[in-house]
């Protein structure tokens, strides 16, 4: 069904519930929002382009889920409480059915996280979705990239490598593995539980070594990683045992958290993650120096083929 721009926006508007902190939502020239007193605003933006950030055959509902998930993941990595978001859509045509399905996926994730859609933009062009997400954090408690200290443990939530395995095998992979690529779980509750406890945090979007590399560079430290300690799903172990290490070290799109915390606070980290039902694994430590040194379980050096995904690098 073909529909005009304003009908599409109306379709979106009617599905958004009113709430007290959104004084004026979709429908005016700008939204009016009521920030809670004393808190800092965390704000992040991520764009998803067809064929780059999701395979062309991805369903509208999965695109809706993922476009919000990647932004919630950035709020999680800051230890922020999600509050508001905007949605800018570039669509090749005006398809009401596509919008409805997109919103099904988007709102399925927005509702449990209490994030309200407050505005956006709708234009014609190649399929592209840009979300801006805003959240709250208490002053001094945000999980930044520049706080890692030598001696910290390095931790990873959930399992990593599944999304890269799914991307590498698109047509051949089964539905459960594919859903790890299409419907990542943003670790919002873990991020909140770790605020004030972890020294540094990043979400794994471009690949563990690349993303941890940002933490090391910003913190002025190095890292040692045990490649065999990286948490792998039974699916990954069964499906791609030969490529497991590469997918886990350098594959992107998992949206797990990688964080560092003082070794003396190991028990607190385990308890904080258990409280929010988030599996967590210790995978290495922060050291004096620079760069990431990867070893296998026997202590032998392991050389990655590449660190992670870079939009502007050709290899
Ligand atoms: P303007 O031309 O003043 O920017 P628009 O016609 O683009 O206004 O948008 C009208 C209203 O609809 C605005 O409040 C805008 O935030 C909202 N809006 C437009 N597109 C979307 C969208 N994809 N999702 C949510 N809100 C949207
Ligand atoms: Mg506009």
């Amino acid at each position: 069904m073909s529909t005009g721009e304003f009908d599409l926006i109306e379709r979106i508007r009617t599905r958004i519930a009113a709430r007290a902190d959104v004084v004026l939502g979709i429908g005016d020239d700008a939204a009016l929002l009521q920030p809670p007193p004393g808190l800092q605003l965390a704000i992040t933006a991520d764009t998803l382009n067809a064929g780059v950030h999701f395979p062309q055959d991805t369903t509208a509902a999965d695109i809706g889920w993922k476009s919000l998930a990647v932004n919630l993941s950035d709020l999680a990595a800051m230890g922020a409480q999600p509050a508001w978001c905007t949605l800018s859509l570039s669509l090749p045509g005006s398809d009401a059915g596509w919008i409805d399905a997109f919103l099904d996926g988007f709102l399925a994730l927005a509702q449990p996280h209490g994030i309200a859609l407050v505005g956006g933009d709708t234009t014609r062009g190649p399929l592209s979705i840009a979300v801006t997400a805003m959240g709250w954090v208490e002053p001094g408690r945000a999980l930044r990239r520049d706080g890692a200290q030598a001696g910290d443990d390095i931790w990873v939530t959930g399992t990593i490598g599944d999304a890269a395995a799914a991307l590498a095998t698109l047509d051949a992979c089964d539905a459960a593995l594919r859903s790890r690529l299409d419907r990542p779980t943003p670790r919002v509750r873990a991020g909140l539980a770790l605020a004030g406890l972890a020294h540094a945090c990043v979400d794994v979007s471009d690949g563990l070594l690349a993303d941890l590399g940002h933490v090391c560079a910003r913190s002025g430290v190095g890292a040692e990683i045990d490649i065999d300690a990286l948490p792998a799903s039974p699916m990954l172990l069964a499906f791609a045992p030969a490529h497991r290490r590469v997918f886990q070290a350098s594959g992107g799109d998992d949206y797990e958290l990688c964080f560092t915390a003082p070794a003396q606070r190991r028990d607190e980290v385990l308890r904080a993650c258990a409280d929010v039902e988030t599996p967590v694994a210790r995978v290495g430590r922060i050291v004096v120096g620079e760069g990431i040194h990867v070893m296998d379980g026997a202590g032998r050096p392991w050389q990655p083929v590449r660190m992670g995904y870079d939009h502007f690098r050709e290899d």
Side-chain angles (χ1 to χ4, degrees):
M1 192 195 348
S2 183
T3 328
E5 175 190 336
F6 296 102
D7 298 326
L8 287 182
I9 296 172
E10 192 54 21
R11 278 188 111 76
I12 298 173
R13 195 186 64 77
T14 53
R15 289 183 66 174
I16 307 303
R19 44 184 248 190
D21 60 345
V22 181
V23 179
L24 191 56
I26 296 172
D28 212 307
D29 294 311
L32 289 177
L33 307 171
Q34 187 59 57
L39 296 186
Q40 288 177 341
L41 178 64
I43 179 160
T44 180
D46 256 326
T47 303
L48 264 59
N49 292 327
V52 179
H53 300 93
F54 54 86
Q56 299 282 0
D57 70 348
T58 310
T59 66
D62 286 344
I63 296 169
W65 175 287
K66 189 166 183 177
S67 63
L68 184 59
V70 301
N71 282 277
L72 284 173
S73 179
D74 280 322
L75 290 182
M78 294 303 290
Q81 172 72 53
W84 307 312
C85 63
T86 64
L87 168 65
S88 295
L89 291 170
S90 163
L91 304 172
S94 78
D95 180 338
W98 192 93
I99 284 284
D100 290 346
F102 175 92
L103 283 176
D104 290 344
F106 191 94
L107 297 175
L109 193 58
Q111 275 148 3
H113 287 98
I115 190 164
L117 179 61
V118 300
D121 200 21
T122 306
T123 57
R124 184 190 287 268
L127 182 59
S128 174
I129 300 97
V131 171
T132 296
M134 289 154 270
W136 301 116
V137 64
E138 277 177 40
R141 278 173 67 93
L143 299 172
R144 302 161 54 129
R145 294 181 177 185
D146 59 6
Q149 294 175 19
D152 280 0
D153 292 324
I154 302 171
W155 301 83
V156 171
T157 61
T159 63
I160 55 173
D162 286 347
L167 188 61
T169 55
L170 281 183
D171 295 330
C173 84
D174 68 18
L177 192 60
R178 177 66 194 255
S179 81
R180 292 276 292 156
L181 178 66
D182 292 337
R183 294 219 169 204
T185 304
R187 297 294 189 179
V188 174
R189 294 173 72 213
L192 289 168
L194 291 165
L197 175 57
H199 275 162
C201 184
V202 69
D203 66 322
V204 182
S205 54
D206 294 330
L208 177 68
L209 298 184
D211 291 316
L212 178 60
H214 300 316
V215 169
C216 289
R218 296 296 302 272
S219 299
V221 293
E224 290 176 359
I225 289 287
D226 175 356
I227 186 82
D228 291 328
L230 299 181
S233 71
M235 270 185 306
L236 180 67
L237 294 175
F239 187 78
H243 302 291
R244 179 189 76 80
R245 287 176 170 178
V246 179
F247 288 146
Q248 291 204 285
S250 317
D253 265 350
D254 285 310
Y255 299 99
E256 296 293 348
L257 298 182
C258 173
F259 61 94
T260 84
Q264 314 84 274
R265 301 190 75 178
R266 246 171 229 178
D267 290 346
E268 285 171 80
V269 168
L270 291 170
R271 225 174 306 127
C273 291
D275 283 350
V276 293
E277 289 151 356
T278 304
V280 69
R282 196 153 48 83
V283 302
R285 62 193 187 106
I286 296 292
V287 295
V288 173
E290 60 180 49
I292 304 177
H293 308 278
V294 187
M295 280 159 290
D296 67 14
R300 290 179 298 248
W302 182 82
Q303 197 55 47
V305 241
R306 62 172 202 174
M307 299 298 270
Y309 189 75
D310 180 332
H311 283 278
F312 294 102
R313 205 183 56 195
E314 323 249 333
D315 63 359

